[in-house]
Amino acid sequence: GEYLNIGYNFKDITPHEWNTERWHQYIDMLVLARLNRLYFYIWNDIYTMYPGSEFSRNSLNLQIHENIREAIDYAHSRGLDVTYMICPTYFPADIWQKHPEMHAEIEYVAHGFPAVCPNAPGAWEMMKDIYRSEMQWFSKSDALQIWFYDPGGCWCEKNGCRHNQAAILARQFNEFSQMFKELNPAARFEFNIWPIWLWEHNMKIDYRKDLSLNIKSYFSDQYNSISAVGAPDNDTTLPLLEKEL
C-alpha cells in the first residue's frame, strides 16, 4: 500500500485540494502498481470536521472529508482495502489553544504541534469526542491504525506519563479500536510502533514489550487479529518483537 498525508499543502502533490476525478486517478494508479491497500492520515489540527472547532466551518474541510469518503467506496470497487490512521492525542489547533492545561510535554509541542496529555483532567473525554466525530466519516475503512507519536504522545511527570507509557498507549489502542468497532464491526486494527525504539533510547525507558503484552491482554483470544506495523529500516524498526509475542 501507499500512505497519504493529507495536510502538508504542497500544491498538486498532497491531496487536500484533490477533486473526485483526481482521487479516482490516484486509486487507479495504485491498482496498476499492483498495490492492494490505500492508507490515509488527515492532519486534523486544521482539517477537522469536529463541531467544536471553528475549522469545521471551512468549506475545504467538508470537501476533503466528502472526497475521502467517496474515495473509500471507489477503492473498494477497485478491490483495494483502506486503512484509516489516527493519532488520538493530536487536536484541532484552536481547541488545543483554549486548553493550555492539557498541553503535552513532548518535543513535538515545542515545534508547535497541538498534542495533549491524555492523563490531563478532561483530556481523555475530549480525545474520544473529537475522534468519534472523525471516525463517523470514514467508518467504511477496513482497518483503523493508531499512531501514538505522529506527532502526539506525552512524557510529563505531573500526570504520570513518563513511567507509564505502555499502559497509556495500550489503553488508547483498546478504547479507540472499540469505538471504531461500534461503527464498523468488521474492522481490523493496527498499531504503529514508530518511533518507540527512539523514545526508549532517548528516555532510557523500555516499554515496547509491555505495550504489546498489554494490547494482547486487552484483546484476549482475539489478539491474532491485531497487526503491529513498523518501518523497514532495520531489525529494530521492524515489528519482529511483536511477531514473537
Side-chain angles (χ1 to χ4, degrees):
E2 190 164 69
Y3 157 28
L4 274 181
N5 255 318
I6 303 170
Y8 283 159
N9 304 354
F10 297 139
K11 188 170 178 57
D12 298 325
I13 297 177
T14 51
H16 65 292
E17 293 180 343
W18 286 3
N19 59 21
T20 299
E21 180 182 4
R22 182 68 182 85
W23 271 103
H24 286 197
Q25 181 187 41
Y26 174 74
I27 290 167
D28 290 342
M29 289 193 293
L30 292 182
V31 174
L32 288 170
R34 301 182 66 80
L35 300 177
N36 60 21
R37 187 176 297 207
L38 164 66
Y39 300 82
F40 71 95
Y41 180 93
I42 300 180
W43 289 79
N44 71 315
D45 53 341
I46 296 175
Y47 297 122
T48 180
M49 284 302 295
Y50 177 56
S53 169
E54 292 183 9
F55 297 126
S56 66
R57 298 163 182 74
N58 188 319
S59 60
L60 176 60
N61 289 18
L62 177 61
Q63 177 187 331
I64 289 171
H65 283 67
E66 289 178 340
N67 285 349
I68 295 173
R69 185 164 60 183
E70 196 280 335
I72 293 171
D73 288 338
Y74 184 70
H76 286 156
S77 77
R78 297 302 320 270
L80 298 179
D81 277 0
V82 179
T83 295
Y84 169 37
M85 303 190 294
I86 68 169
C87 184
T89 56
Y90 196 59
F91 266 32
D94 57 337
I95 303 294
W96 183 82
Q97 289 166 358
K98 293 176 182 177
H99 293 279
E101 75 282 2
M102 294 184 184
H103 290 187
E105 293 183 17
I106 194 168
E107 186 175 346
Y108 301 124
V109 171
H111 290 281
F113 292 104
V116 300
C117 170
N119 285 352
W124 193 264
E125 293 76 12
M126 194 172 292
M127 285 163 55
K128 297 187 78 169
D129 197 40
I130 288 170
Y131 282 93
R132 184 179 291 107
S133 170
E134 291 291 305
M135 286 177 181
Q136 289 170 353
W137 281 91
F138 312 122
S139 61
K140 290 185 180 179
S141 297
D142 301 280
L144 179 76
Q145 184 176 132
I146 294 182
W147 290 64
F148 303 114
Y149 299 112
D150 194 14
C154 183
W155 286 90
C156 74
E157 296 272 9
K158 62 183 178 182
N159 294 319
C161 291
R162 183 178 179 87
H163 298 287
N164 292 287
Q165 289 290 300
I168 292 167
L169 302 188
R171 183 189 177 197
Q172 283 182 44
F173 185 74
N174 176 54
E175 294 196 19
F176 283 81
S177 295
Q178 295 304 318
M179 192 162 64
F180 194 71
K181 192 170 186 178
E182 293 173 8
L183 299 171
N184 182 354
R188 301 185 303 275
F189 302 104
E190 307 168 1
F191 65 99
N192 202 301
I193 59 173
W194 186 92
I196 289 175
W197 54 86
L198 181 61
W199 289 120
E200 285 186 324
H201 176 268
N202 288 351
M203 298 296 181
K204 306 296 187 284
I205 296 174
D206 294 329
Y207 62 95
R208 179 172 163 183
K209 181 177 180 180
D210 286 343
L211 169 62
S212 287
L213 292 174
N214 285 348
I215 289 174
K216 187 175 178 179
S217 67
Y218 270 127
F219 284 82
S220 186
D221 59 346
Q222 301 295 312
Y223 74 89
N224 280 323
S225 65
I226 308 302
S227 295
V229 182
D233 301 327
N234 53 57
D235 285 354
T236 303
T237 65
L238 288 168
L240 300 179
L241 168 66
E242 291 73 16
K243 182 178 180 181
E244 290 176 6
L245 296 173

